[in-house]
Amino acid sequence: MIKVGIIGSTGYAGAEIVRLITQHKEAEVVWYGSRSYIDKKYYEVFQNMFQIVDAKCMDDNMEELANQVDVIFTATPQGLCASLVNEEVLNKVKIIDLSADFRIKDVEVYEKWYGIEHKSPQFIDEAVYGLCEINRDKVKSARLIANPGCFPTCSILSIYPMVREGIIDNSTIIIDAKSGTSGAGRGAKVNNLFCEVNENIKAYGVTNHRHTPEIEEQLTYAAGENIFLNFTPHLVPMNRGILVTAYAKLKSRVSYDEVKAIYDKYYNNEKFIRVLDKDVPPETRWVEGSNYVDVNFKIDERTGRIIMMGAIDNLIKGAAGQAVQNMNIMFGLEETMGLEQVPMFP
Amino acid sequence: MIKVGIIGSTGYAGAEIVRLITQHKEAEVVWYGSRSYIDKKYYEVFQNMFQIVDAKCMDDNMEELANQVDVIFTATPQGLCASLVNEEVLNKVKIIDLSADFRIKDVEVYEKWYGIEHKSPQFIDEAVYGLCEINRDKVKSARLIANPGCFPTCSILSIYPMVREGIIDNSTIIIDAKSGTSGAGRGAKVNNLFCEVNENIKAYGVTNHRHTPEIEEQLTYAAGENIFLNFTPHLVPMNRGILVTAYAKLKSRVSYDEVKAIYDKYYNNEKFIRVLDKDVPPETRWVEGSNYVDVNFKIDERTGRIIMMGAIDNLIKGAAGQAVQNMNIMFGLEETMGLEQVPMFP
Amino acid sequence: MIKVGIIGSTGYAGAEIVRLITQHKEAEVVWYGSRSYIDKKYYEVFQNMFQIVDAKCMDDNMEELANQVDVIFTATPQGLCASLVNEEVLNKVKIIDLSADFRIKDVEVYEKWYGIEHKSPQFIDEAVYGLCEINRDKVKSARLIANPGCFPTCSILSIYPMVREGIIDNSTIIIDAKSGTSGAGRGAKVNNLFCEVNENIKAYGVTNHRHTPEIEEQLTYAAGENIFLNFTPHLVPMNRGILVTAYAKLKSRVSYDEVKAIYDKYYNNEKFIRVLDKDVPPETRWVEGSNYVDVNFKIDERTGRIIMMGAIDNLIKGAAGQAVQNMNIMFGLEETMGLEQVPMFP
Amino acid sequence: MIKVGIIGSTGYAGAEIVRLITQHKEAEVVWYGSRSYIDKKYYEVFQNMFQIVDAKCMDDNMEELANQVDVIFTATPQGLCASLVNEEVLNKVKIIDLSADFRIKDVEVYEKWYGIEHKSPQFIDEAVYGLCEINRDKVKSARLIANPGCFPTCSILSIYPMVREGIIDNSTIIIDAKSGTSGAGRGAKVNNLFCEVNENIKAYGVTNHRHTPEIEEQLTYAAGENIFLNFTPHLVPMNRGILVTAYAKLKSRVSYDEVKAIYDKYYNNEKFIRVLDKDVPPETRWVEGSNYVDVNFKIDERTGRIIMMGAIDNLIKGAAGQAVQNMNIMFGLEETMGLEQVPMFP
């Protein structure tokens, strides 16, 4: 039984890790870290866990935690994991960081976009970007996983085969993304009140959202050339789900079948990536509650562009589910263990 | 492996049975009945099942079905099950009927409230009302289960201990219920369009909703005296969930602890019924995606009344989950098998 | 032109007063009070007012305000108005208080239910409970209006004719109410975040919600005897709207026509109260954006009860609209001025 | 008093015309056309109009209507207006067509994208595309107005100044649009049921939505060169609102101030177009219930692109409001008459 500790277990992503691990047959949560609710029963914060979890919330003591668990998930604001991690800890325990601290290899880029100083840049090189389907082999032997952001997971997987195979003009990529509100976290902010989000849609972080360099870096690796793109997230009045609609110029005329074959080449054997049938666009309702990524594309011959689309549950494949998937890979378990949930509709 | 056939598998309740059985380790669906979508791939109707279910939709042939499966779930409009069932079928296969056809013992009451003739009244007596926590023993040996309605499940379980123990004046019971919109089914009706339901709340079926006699009958059994009550359902702009707020006069002064002890007496050993802590009212979000019933109560000394509250996921404990729970009991499986889902929040 | 000052103009109710007065041809806002946003442009807090309101937010200085305006609306937390008002102010300016400070005549009841000390009990007697349709004559000459709560407005108007005419047994009244989330205010609280409210319904303040004594007091006046009742509010995932479903025992058998005649007697000449046609239950969507109260009833002969129902827009008839209606009456204007908005659907 | 007839008054757009005209001081509806509800009281279809509209629904008799009214609004499916209009009718009455029949000047393009034959192509040339802010002068003297589509209204107005002034590379325009569900109409379709739309976001009509050629044509006029672009609409779980996020390559480096000056040049005197302050993105909540178009832009120096954004209420500026605005212009009334509603939030 793998012993799991969670730092930040009372945010939405942390709570989703708890929920998934509770249903995982080879792992159990033994430390429910939550600075805000120390000593409070976990189920008093999340009543869905009543009679399921009886433990109390604990502090963020990573040193102590390293002695008690096999793997630590940090589902905390930027900067915290980087400030706690050290060689001693990493020698004892595996860390899966759901924050952005170790996602970006160039520390200057990180510090510029996030506006904070990186407290342990010495581990950046070692950290593996845990996009399981792309970096599975590296994940296996990693001590420290940078679990991908929700938007990057959906964006990269929607576009990856086209970039990898050089089908599109990489200078023309535009990603227009839409997210449910759980992506904004459980902090008490006026902007996330029901009446502010309901009956509204808005763009935010236009031209400067922090997930931009993360997407660019990973697609740059895939392309073998520098990629700069536009990424615009929007807030949608729903709890869960991310939808990506991405646009790019095709380098040359290609047929539906040719492109489909390329998507299949990369994703056919991937349990969690479903390339949909022709003309079936991804919708978030069809993946909600599951670790699936649904992707599809459409060629527009009038404009010479391809529209690439993807949908995920932002809290599962976009956060907790992918983190558990990484854990499974790191510990040599079946990759799908604890992640077999069928999407729940409606 | 139990072979399952579903008549009406493309409604919301039928689809939920599919979803639950897909994750059940001792049962599998072998017949996806759906008159409206015959020969269409099931996943084309519910894209969440893409790459999970490959079968096509079949017709409603109960005779044929009886030869091929061990249990039939009928998730169809009132009257259909009663028109298809017969002795030969019941000799071959167990039937769990999610419609109201066999819930009400008095066929005149059924015909009056439902406005249709009952086509097989000879099986009404035999049918077991499948409210598992109350009728578990009878369910074990039943051939034909009348799976309870969503509102009755939540209403009865919220009130049952008080009625059973004679704590309240049964002539004063008022049940004010609130339901998510999946309870209205997947039929294309103007009243259930997004723009009609969103930003609205309304009562419907005031004084004449068909679940009224069902609730009254079961509570009458519990009380040992005739009960007539008011039941008012409301439509809430959410997908899933039923909340019941019930009111009754206390026969005499009782303390919180006395009432709590009674609820505990009936529900303490019930895995799926959670009596919440003092002053924690049930909320649908805490049970969504699970088979739980959360119940609680509050005594109002000013008025001498008790307010009894309950919350369920209408598609699970209120329909498909309870149906699977009945199947588990009937086939001697662990009662919770395939129903261990932790509530999903948010 | 009536000069209007608003203390608390950046809450939802305060903003609704601003919106209504902006469209009122005989009044204009000259003071946008908001302690939290002093010196900030009002439209930066509510972007809908961009290019409509250019003023900055001001402090809560009631003395100064009394010199500059003809009427002050206080849309603030309990206790503030009572702590600011005094004889000098009331000699200069009319006050319409949207808080509960002057709604309850018995100061002990107020202090018990609200848990705060009343700072100016000497004005309680003078204050007029501004339920326009009931107290119109008293409102005309008032200096200080206690603008009714949202739940009490809808509850009282739904039940009033039955209580006034002695048709129901007043000891059996139960009010089950449902409210949109704007009723919870614009404060940044976890419980009011989108993901906490969406896909959920819950009861709150069970047996102890502060609107209970307010409803009881007004119905007591109507009945001429003490009334104690149960009032249970619920939070619904929608922005606006209150629906009341109230239950009571009929004293004796009455017909639909008899009851309808009584409702018509009281409301036929009321522009803002619509007694709906037989069997048409009130729904919040049909009054949203307007000052209407839609009411109706249904007699249940099986149980001898009457179900009385009402729907309002909680921010308009339940707060700002009724406040403006009171202003119109106090200043001798047409009562409907600035309140002619047709309900907006969808 | 202008006499108004509406063909298709019981759809969402038609009902919004009714609502707006009801509050218009120089116009009144005298014909509530609705093939589906002939002889039914209008308020029975839309209960918000109870005690406001007492008329019954009438048939679609345009000939008869032409004798009784001054202006006809057709809020009907594609093809109907074109099949009813003729020279005699146009000599008697002005027509404002909310369908697409007369929006596209090239009849072959219309027939290709809409898949139907045009029944009166002889009036296409004469028809004026009623985007008021762009074609105001032509509207004044028109007999037949092609009222713009909801997406085109928001898309064109968001981009127009940049195209008109040649600031962007017109071959790079991508429009990613998001719409509330009222845009899908009031027809009873499974896809528009509450449970299908709620908790979901999806793209639809990818590469082939019918508003594409309409947008292209109008921008082509503005540019003086042929424009082909990508337009992708998305369905959002909200009642009202359209948000447009458009992308294009800048021809050369320009500053914020330069672009702002261009937007101001075109829109500064437009009552209904609000160019927002720097870094304030449009949101649908701030225009809901009003005829406003909120626009803004952001320059991304990293990629050399400009992101142009716009928000409208799809039923008002995107349909009924613009139709009334066109009526006002055609009849020489104040352009804003009946359209002064302040956006309603929340």
Side-chain angles (χ1 to χ4, degrees):
Chain A
M1 210 66 169
I2 298 164
K3 290 201 170 85
V4 171
I6 305 170
I7 297 183
S9 68
T10 52
Y12 290 137
E16 193 69 357
I17 299 173
V18 171
R19 192 176 70 89
L20 292 175
I21 295 293
T22 301
Q23 300 175 86
H24 192 290
K25 64 185 179 195
E26 299 285 352
E28 61 178 338
V29 180
V30 300
W31 185 291
Y32 296 82
S34 173
R35 201 181 292 184
S36 320
Y37 295 101
I38 294 177
D39 282 339
K40 197 159 189 175
K41 288 274 192 182
Y42 188 76
Y43 74 76
E44 292 181 298
V45 186
F46 290 101
Q47 278 283 340
N48 55 327
M49 304 313 278
F50 183 61
Q51 293 185 357
I52 300 171
V53 172
D54 194 51
K56 285 187 173 167
C57 295
M58 311 282 282
D59 63 13
D60 293 344
N61 190 334
M62 193 181 271
E63 303 278 345
E64 177 59 24
L65 203 39
N67 292 323
Q68 299 193 16
V69 305
D70 302 304
V71 57
I72 297 172
F73 293 89
T74 49
T76 46
Q78 323 307 335
L80 186 73
C81 182
S83 75
L84 295 176
V85 74
N86 59 46
E87 188 58 33
E88 203 191 329
V89 165
L90 280 174
N91 280 336
K92 293 182 188 164
V93 69
K94 291 185 184 289
I95 295 184
I96 299 173
D97 177 26
L98 279 80
S99 86
D101 287 359
F102 297 99
R103 293 180 193 157
I104 291 171
K105 290 300 174 198
D106 184 334
V107 69
E108 281 181 34
V109 172
Y110 172 89
E111 294 187 340
K112 183 185 150 208
W113 286 78
Y114 284 87
I116 52 173
E117 188 196 350
H118 201 294
K119 291 295 176 50
S120 52
Q122 69 275 22
F123 297 116
I124 295 181
D125 259 359
E126 170 184 356
V128 172
Y129 188 75
L131 192 55
C132 311
E133 286 76 9
I134 309 298
N135 294 331
R136 184 173 286 125
D137 284 339
K138 290 185 195 151
V139 169
K140 281 178 188 162
S141 52
R143 296 194 299 177
L144 174 58
I145 294 288
N147 206 61
C150 51
F151 284 123
T153 296
C154 194
S155 300
I156 296 165
L157 292 174
S158 299
I159 300 176
Y160 181 80
M162 293 297 95
V163 167
R164 190 79 170 79
E165 297 280 325
I167 304 301
I168 57 177
D169 175 350
N170 293 325
S171 72
T172 65
I173 300 173
I174 286 167
I175 300 172
D176 192 284
K178 297 89 181 169
S179 175
T181 307
S182 59
R186 214 189 188 200
K189 292 177 187 162
V190 168
N191 267 341
N192 297 332
L193 290 176
F194 182 83
C195 290
E196 310 289 317
V197 173
N198 188 38
E199 281 298 297
N200 188 38
I201 181 161
K202 66 172 176 183
Y204 61 99
V206 183
T207 74
N208 55 28
H209 191 277
R210 292 158 169 193
H211 283 166
T212 310
E214 183 180 338
I215 300 168
E216 288 178 343
E217 180 178 328
Q218 296 301 321
L219 290 180
T220 291
Y221 298 146
E225 67 174 14
N226 279 329
I227 290 184
F228 298 97
L229 51 76
N230 275 98
F231 167 70
T232 315
H234 298 75
L235 189 69
V236 179
M238 60 184 190
N239 284 356
R240 288 175 180 239
I242 282 179
L243 184 75
V244 156
T245 314
Y247 305 84
K249 207 81 179 165
L250 288 162
K251 277 187 185 161
S252 59
R253 217 180 173 86
V254 285
S255 71
Y256 168 81
D257 289 338
E258 288 168 312
V259 174
K260 178 65 161 55
I262 293 171
Y263 271 93
D264 283 344
K265 170 179 163 190
Y266 285 91
Y267 295 149
N268 230 359
N269 295 321
E270 291 298 341
K271 158 82 177 177
F272 291 126
I273 306 186
R274 304 190 291 193
V275 182
L276 302 184
D277 287 346
K278 197 177 180 193
D279 289 333
V280 178
E283 306 188 27
T284 60
R285 60 176 161 160
W286 303 128
V287 297
E288 191 169 328
S290 82
N291 201 46
Y292 285 113
V293 187
D294 280 3
V295 298
N296 212 344
F297 65 91
K298 182 110 186 198
I299 295 166
D300 187 1
E301 300 197 347
R302 296 171 64 253
T303 62
R305 290 199 188 91
I306 185 169
I307 295 97
M308 298 155 287
M309 297 167 280
I312 62 169
D313 182 320
N314 60 307
L315 290 180
I316 305 186
K317 185 62 181 175
Q322 186 149 256
V324 170
Q325 193 180 351
N326 276 310
M327 180 192 80
N328 288 343
I329 298 172
M330 293 166 97
F331 285 85
L333 304 174
E334 189 108 26
E335 191 170 325
T336 60
M337 191 175 284
L339 299 170
E340 303 89 347
Q341 294 86 356
V342 174
M344 186 168 91
F345 171 81
Chain B
M1 208 69 168
I2 299 165
K3 290 201 170 85
V4 171
I6 305 170
I7 296 182
S9 67
T10 52
Y12 290 138
E16 193 70 356
I17 299 173
V18 173
R19 194 176 70 89
L20 292 175
I21 295 294
T22 302
Q23 300 174 87
H24 192 290
K25 63 185 178 195
E26 299 285 351
E28 61 179 335
V29 180
V30 300
W31 185 290
Y32 297 83
S34 173
R35 200 180 292 186
S36 320
Y37 295 102
I38 295 177
D39 283 339
K40 199 161 186 174
K41 289 273 192 183
Y42 188 77
Y43 74 77
E44 292 180 297
V45 186
F46 289 102
Q47 278 285 337
N48 55 326
M49 304 313 277
F50 184 60
Q51 294 184 358
I52 298 171
V53 173
D54 195 48
K56 285 185 174 169
C57 295
M58 311 284 282
D59 63 14
D60 291 346
N61 191 333
M62 194 182 271
E63 303 279 346
E64 176 59 24
L65 205 39
N67 292 323
Q68 297 194 17
V69 305
D70 302 304
V71 58
I72 297 172
F73 294 90
T74 49
T76 46
Q78 323 307 337
L80 187 73
C81 183
S83 74
L84 295 177
V85 74
N86 58 46
E87 187 59 32
E88 201 192 326
V89 165
L90 281 174
N91 281 336
K92 294 183 188 165
V93 67
K94 291 185 184 289
I95 295 184
I96 299 173
D97 177 25
L98 281 79
S99 86
D101 286 358
F102 298 99
R103 292 179 193 157
I104 292 172
K105 291 299 175 201
D106 184 334
V107 69
E108 280 179 38
V109 172
Y110 172 89
E111 294 186 344
K112 183 184 149 209
W113 286 78
Y114 284 87
I116 52 175
E117 187 197 351
H118 200 294
K119 293 293 176 50
S120 51
Q122 69 275 24
F123 298 115
I124 294 181
D125 258 0
E126 169 183 356
V128 172
Y129 188 75
L131 192 55
C132 313
E133 285 76 9
I134 310 298
N135 293 332
R136 184 173 287 125
D137 284 339
K138 292 185 195 152
V139 170
K140 281 178 188 160
S141 52
R143 295 193 302 174
L144 174 58
I145 294 288
N147 207 61
C150 51
F151 285 123
T153 296
C154 194
S155 300
I156 297 165
L157 293 174
S158 299
I159 299 175
Y160 182 81
M162 294 296 95
V163 168
R164 190 82 172 77
E165 296 281 325
I167 305 301
I168 56 178
D169 175 349
N170 294 325
S171 72
T172 65
I173 300 174
I174 287 168
I175 301 173
D176 192 284
K178 297 91 180 168
S179 174
T181 306
S182 58
R186 214 190 188 200
K189 293 178 188 161
V190 168
N191 266 342
N192 297 332
L193 291 176
F194 182 83
C195 290
E196 309 291 316
V197 173
N198 188 40
E199 282 297 295
N200 189 40
I201 182 160
K202 65 171 176 185
Y204 61 100
V206 183
T207 74
N208 55 28
H209 192 278
R210 294 161 168 190
H211 283 167
T212 310
E214 183 180 339
I215 299 168
E216 288 178 344
E217 179 178 329
Q218 296 301 321
L219 291 180
T220 291
Y221 297 146
E225 66 173 15
N226 279 329
I227 290 184
F228 297 97
L229 49 76
N230 276 98
F231 167 69
T232 315
H234 297 76
L235 188 69
V236 180
M238 60 183 190
N239 285 355
R240 289 175 180 240
I242 282 178
L243 185 74
V244 157
T245 314
Y247 305 82
K249 206 81 178 164
L250 288 162
K251 278 188 184 159
S252 60
R253 218 181 173 85
V254 285
S255 71
Y256 168 81
D257 288 337
E258 289 168 311
V259 174
K260 179 64 161 58
I262 295 172
Y263 272 93
D264 284 343
K265 170 181 164 191
Y266 286 91
Y267 295 150
N268 229 358
N269 295 321
E270 292 297 342
K271 157 81 177 179
F272 292 126
I273 305 185
R274 305 190 291 193
V275 183
L276 301 184
D277 287 347
K278 197 177 182 193
D279 289 334
V280 177
E283 307 187 25
T284 61
R285 60 175 163 161
W286 303 127
V287 297
E288 190 170 330
S290 82
N291 200 47
Y292 285 112
V293 187
D294 280 4
V295 299
N296 212 344
F297 65 91
K298 183 112 188 196
I299 294 166
D300 187 3
E301 302 197 346
R302 296 172 63 252
T303 61
R305 291 201 187 89
I306 184 169
I307 294 99
M308 298 155 285
M309 296 166 280
I312 62 168
D313 182 320
N314 60 307
L315 291 180
I316 305 187
K317 185 63 179 174
Q322 186 148 258
V324 170
Q325 192 179 352
N326 276 311
M327 180 193 78
N328 288 342
I329 298 171
M330 294 165 97
F331 286 85
L333 303 175
E334 187 109 28
E335 190 170 325
T336 60
M337 193 176 285
L339 298 171
E340 303 89 347
Q341 294 86 355
V342 174
M344 187 168 91
F345 171 81
Chain C
M1 208 69 168
I2 298 164
K3 289 201 169 86
V4 171
I6 305 170
I7 296 183
S9 68
T10 54
Y12 290 138
E16 194 69 355
I17 299 173
V18 171
R19 193 176 70 88
L20 292 174
I21 295 293
T22 302
Q23 300 173 85
H24 192 290
K25 64 185 181 195
E26 299 284 351
E28 63 180 334
V29 181
V30 300
W31 184 292
Y32 297 83
S34 173
R35 201 182 289 185
S36 319
Y37 296 102
I38 294 176
D39 282 341
K40 199 161 185 172
K41 288 274 192 181
Y42 188 77
Y43 74 76
E44 292 181 297
V45 185
F46 289 103
Q47 277 285 337
N48 55 327
M49 305 312 278
F50 183 61
Q51 294 184 357
I52 299 171
V53 173
D54 194 51
K56 286 186 172 167
C57 295
M58 312 283 282
D59 62 14
D60 291 345
N61 191 333
M62 195 182 270
E63 304 277 347
E64 175 59 24
L65 204 39
N67 293 322
Q68 297 194 17
V69 305
D70 301 304
V71 58
I72 297 172
F73 294 90
T74 50
T76 48
Q78 324 306 337
L80 186 73
C81 183
S83 75
L84 295 177
V85 74
N86 58 47
E87 188 59 33
E88 200 192 329
V89 165
L90 281 175
N91 281 335
K92 292 183 189 165
V93 67
K94 291 186 184 287
I95 294 184
I96 299 172
D97 177 25
L98 280 79
S99 86
D101 286 0
F102 298 99
R103 292 179 194 158
I104 292 172
K105 292 298 174 201
D106 184 334
V107 69
E108 280 180 37
V109 172
Y110 173 89
E111 293 187 343
K112 182 184 151 211
W113 285 78
Y114 285 87
I116 53 175
E117 188 197 350
H118 201 295
K119 293 295 177 48
S120 51
Q122 70 274 23
F123 297 114
I124 294 181
D125 259 0
E126 168 183 358
V128 172
Y129 188 74
L131 192 55
C132 312
E133 285 77 10
I134 310 298
N135 294 332
R136 185 172 286 127
D137 284 340
K138 291 185 194 151
V139 169
K140 280 178 189 162
S141 52
R143 294 194 303 176
L144 172 58
I145 294 287
N147 206 61
C150 51
F151 285 122
T153 296
C154 193
S155 300
I156 297 165
L157 292 175
S158 299
I159 300 175
Y160 181 80
M162 294 296 95
V163 168
R164 190 80 171 78
E165 297 281 324
I167 305 301
I168 57 177
D169 175 349
N170 294 324
S171 72
T172 66
I173 300 174
I174 287 169
I175 300 172
D176 192 284
K178 298 89 179 168
S179 174
T181 307
S182 59
R186 213 189 187 199
K189 292 177 187 163
V190 168
N191 267 341
N192 297 332
L193 291 177
F194 182 84
C195 289
E196 310 289 318
V197 173
N198 189 39
E199 282 297 295
N200 188 39
I201 182 160
K202 66 171 176 184
Y204 62 99
V206 183
T207 74
N208 56 28
H209 191 278
R210 294 160 170 189
H211 283 166
T212 310
E214 183 180 337
I215 300 168
E216 290 178 342
E217 179 177 330
Q218 296 302 321
L219 291 180
T220 292
Y221 297 146
E225 67 175 13
N226 279 330
I227 290 185
F228 298 96
L229 49 78
N230 276 98
F231 166 71
T232 314
H234 297 76
L235 188 68
V236 179
M238 59 183 192
N239 285 355
R240 287 176 181 238
I242 281 179
L243 185 74
V244 156
T245 314
Y247 305 83
K249 208 80 178 163
L250 288 162
K251 278 188 185 160
S252 60
R253 217 182 173 84
V254 284
S255 70
Y256 169 81
D257 289 337
E258 289 167 312
V259 174
K260 178 67 159 59
I262 294 172
Y263 271 94
D264 284 343
K265 169 180 165 189
Y266 286 91
Y267 295 151
N268 229 358
N269 295 320
E270 292 297 341
K271 157 85 177 177
F272 291 127
I273 306 186
R274 304 190 293 192
V275 183
L276 302 184
D277 287 347
K278 197 178 181 192
D279 289 332
V280 177
E283 307 187 27
T284 61
R285 61 175 161 160
W286 304 128
V287 296
E288 190 170 329
S290 81
N291 200 47
Y292 285 112
V293 188
D294 280 4
V295 298
N296 212 344
F297 65 90
K298 183 112 188 195
I299 295 167
D300 187 2
E301 302 198 346
R302 296 171 63 253
T303 62
R305 289 198 189 92
I306 184 169
I307 295 97
M308 298 154 285
M309 297 167 278
I312 62 168
D313 182 321
N314 61 307
L315 291 180
I316 304 187
K317 184 62 181 176
Q322 186 149 256
V324 170
Q325 192 179 352
N326 276 309
M327 180 191 80
N328 288 342
I329 298 171
M330 294 165 97
F331 286 86
L333 304 175
E334 187 109 26
E335 191 170 326
T336 60
M337 193 176 284
L339 298 170
E340 302 89 346
Q341 293 87 356
V342 174
M344 187 168 90
F345 172 80
Chain D
M1 209 68 167
I2 298 165
K3 290 200 169 87
V4 171
I6 305 172
I7 297 183
S9 68
T10 53
Y12 290 137
E16 193 69 358
I17 299 173
V18 172
R19 194 176 69 89
L20 292 175
I21 295 293
T22 301
Q23 300 173 86
H24 191 290
K25 63 183 181 196
E26 299 284 352
E28 61 179 335
V29 181
V30 299
W31 185 290
Y32 297 82
S34 173
R35 203 181 291 185
S36 320
Y37 296 102
I38 293 177
D39 281 339
K40 198 161 186 173
K41 287 272 191 183
Y42 188 77
Y43 74 75
E44 292 180 297
V45 187
F46 289 102
Q47 278 283 340
N48 55 327
M49 305 313 277
F50 184 61
Q51 294 184 358
I52 299 172
V53 173
D54 194 50
K56 286 188 174 168
C57 295
M58 311 283 281
D59 63 13
D60 291 346
N61 191 334
M62 194 181 270
E63 303 279 345
E64 176 60 24
L65 203 39
N67 292 322
Q68 298 193 16
V69 305
D70 301 306
V71 58
I72 297 172
F73 293 90
T74 51
T76 48
Q78 322 309 335
L80 186 74
C81 183
S83 75
L84 295 177
V85 73
N86 58 45
E87 187 60 31
E88 202 191 328
V89 166
L90 281 175
N91 280 337
K92 294 182 190 165
V93 67
K94 291 185 185 287
I95 294 185
I96 299 173
D97 177 25
L98 281 78
S99 85
D101 287 359
F102 297 99
R103 292 180 193 157
I104 292 173
K105 290 300 174 197
D106 184 334
V107 69
E108 282 180 34
V109 171
Y110 173 87
E111 293 186 343
K112 183 183 149 211
W113 286 78
Y114 284 87
I116 52 174
E117 188 197 349
H118 200 294
K119 291 295 174 51
S120 51
Q122 69 275 23
F123 298 115
I124 296 181
D125 258 0
E126 169 183 356
V128 172
Y129 189 75
L131 192 55
C132 312
E133 285 77 9
I134 309 298
N135 293 332
R136 185 173 286 125
D137 284 339
K138 291 184 195 152
V139 169
K140 280 179 189 161
S141 51
R143 297 194 298 175
L144 173 57
I145 293 288
N147 206 60
C150 52
F151 284 123
T153 295
C154 194
S155 300
I156 296 165
L157 292 175
S158 298
I159 299 175
Y160 181 81
M162 293 296 95
V163 168
R164 189 81 173 77
E165 297 281 324
I167 304 301
I168 57 177
D169 175 350
N170 294 325
S171 72
T172 65
I173 299 173
I174 287 168
I175 300 172
D176 193 283
K178 297 91 180 168
S179 175
T181 307
S182 58
R186 214 187 187 202
K189 294 179 186 160
V190 168
N191 267 340
N192 297 332
L193 291 176
F194 182 83
C195 290
E196 309 289 317
V197 172
N198 189 38
E199 281 298 296
N200 188 40
I201 182 162
K202 66 172 176 183
Y204 62 100
V206 183
T207 74
N208 56 27
H209 191 279
R210 292 161 169 189
H211 283 166
T212 310
E214 183 180 337
I215 300 168
E216 288 178 344
E217 180 178 328
Q218 296 301 321
L219 291 180
T220 291
Y221 298 146
E225 66 175 13
N226 279 329
I227 290 184
F228 298 97
L229 50 76
N230 276 99
F231 167 70
T232 314
H234 296 76
L235 189 69
V236 179
M238 58 183 193
N239 285 356
R240 290 175 179 238
I242 282 179
L243 185 73
V244 156
T245 315
Y247 304 83
K249 207 78 178 167
L250 289 162
K251 279 188 183 158
S252 60
R253 216 183 175 85
V254 284
S255 71
Y256 169 81
D257 289 337
E258 288 167 313
V259 173
K260 179 65 159 58
I262 294 171
Y263 272 94
D264 284 343
K265 171 181 163 189
Y266 286 91
Y267 295 149
N268 229 0
N269 295 321
E270 291 298 340
K271 158 83 177 179
F272 292 126
I273 306 184
R274 303 191 292 193
V275 182
L276 302 183
D277 288 347
K278 198 177 182 193
D279 289 332
V280 177
E283 307 187 25
T284 60
R285 63 176 159 160
W286 303 128
V287 296
E288 191 170 327
S290 81
N291 201 45
Y292 285 112
V293 187
D294 280 4
V295 298
N296 212 344
F297 65 91
K298 182 109 185 200
I299 295 166
D300 187 2
E301 301 198 346
R302 294 171 65 252
T303 62
R305 289 198 190 92
I306 186 169
I307 294 96
M308 298 155 286
M309 297 166 280
I312 62 168
D313 182 319
N314 60 306
L315 290 181
I316 305 187
K317 185 61 181 177
Q322 186 149 258
V324 171
Q325 192 179 351
N326 276 310
M327 180 191 79
N328 288 342
I329 298 173
M330 293 166 97
F331 286 84
L333 304 174
E334 188 110 25
E335 190 170 327
T336 60
M337 193 176 283
L339 299 170
E340 303 88 349
Q341 293 87 356
V342 174
M344 186 169 89
F345 172 81

